[in-house]
Amino acid sequence: MGGEVAVKKLWRLLRHDWPLHFVLLFTNWLPDNVPFLALRGACARPFIGRCGRGLKLGRNVVLYNPSRISFGNDVYLAYGCWFMAGAKIQVGDEVMFGPYCVVSSSEHTRQGRSFRCGVLKSAPIVIGDGCWLAAHVTLTAGVTIGSGALIAAGAVVSCDVPDNVMVGGVPARVIRQFTAA
């Protein structure tokens, strides 16, 4: 059984991780303007688990385990976003990520007196359609962000967010409810 796991891991690295790494490496010298954001996204698209049309990627975006990431249509990741897909990360349509957002579906646990050797705990992250995650937002493992939500800059989201609200703070809490348009 161990050989099967090693073959699957090698296939994932060859099919998704390494090609995406090289695409991002070779396109990082291009400026962050609309044509190059779209070009970077189009070049990266084949190496992401599921990816809709219109993906736009800023420079220095990092996607660990891209085979476990699902992007809807017209998703935008700004400069320096970091995705760690220990478990599935599902992003809906028309979602925007500001600079330096961190989305991590895995977290360390403590073993003895150390987090370094603790067991990795993973849980999926789901982000609904039409969300905006402003700069420096952090999403932790297991959260669900409702459709139409705005996550204020610098927020740390560690529990679920309902539809059509603005949340902010550390930890994030509801600041405002949006009315339907």
Side-chain angles (χ1 to χ4, degrees):
M1 194 59 99
E4 239 178 83
V5 172
V7 168
K8 284 183 181 181
K9 183 176 181 178
L10 180 62
W11 170 248
R12 180 180 52 81
L13 289 171
L14 292 173
R15 165 65 181 90
H16 296 280
D17 296 45
W18 292 345
L20 180 61
H21 170 77
F22 287 111
V23 163
L24 296 175
L25 175 71
F26 293 132
T27 60
N28 262 341
W29 63 274
L30 298 169
D32 277 351
N33 56 34
V34 175
F36 294 124
L37 294 170
L39 174 67
R40 197 176 290 117
C43 291
R45 190 172 180 232
F47 309 111
I48 297 170
R50 183 193 157 285
C51 189
R53 62 178 159 59
L55 176 65
K56 291 181 175 63
L57 297 178
R59 288 181 292 135
N60 294 330
V61 168
V62 176
L63 304 172
Y64 287 109
N65 298 326
S67 62
R68 295 181 184 154
I69 299 173
S70 171
F71 290 127
N73 295 320
D74 302 313
V75 171
Y76 169 65
L77 278 66
Y79 185 96
C81 287
W82 190 85
F83 281 61
M84 173 54 186
K88 187 169 179 70
I89 297 174
Q90 181 179 337
V91 178
D93 296 337
E94 299 175 9
V95 176
M96 298 185 304
F97 292 86
Y100 299 106
C101 287
V102 174
V103 179
S104 180
S105 62
S106 294
E107 54 191 42
H108 296 278
T109 60
R110 189 175 162 127
Q111 181 176 354
R113 301 162 106 190
S114 172
F115 284 96
R116 174 68 179 95
C117 296
V119 177
L120 199 60
K121 181 180 127 193
S122 299
I125 293 176
V126 178
I127 302 168
D129 296 340
C131 292
W132 175 19
L133 289 78
H136 297 274
V137 165
T138 299
L139 301 183
T140 62
V143 300
T144 297
I145 308 296
S147 296
L150 166 60
I151 314 300
V156 176
V157 181
S158 57
C159 58
D160 292 351
V161 173
D163 292 349
N164 301 310
V165 296
M166 177 193 305
V167 301
V170 180
R173 62 177 177 75
V174 174
I175 296 171
R176 175 180 167 201
Q177 178 77 40
F178 295 118
T179 57

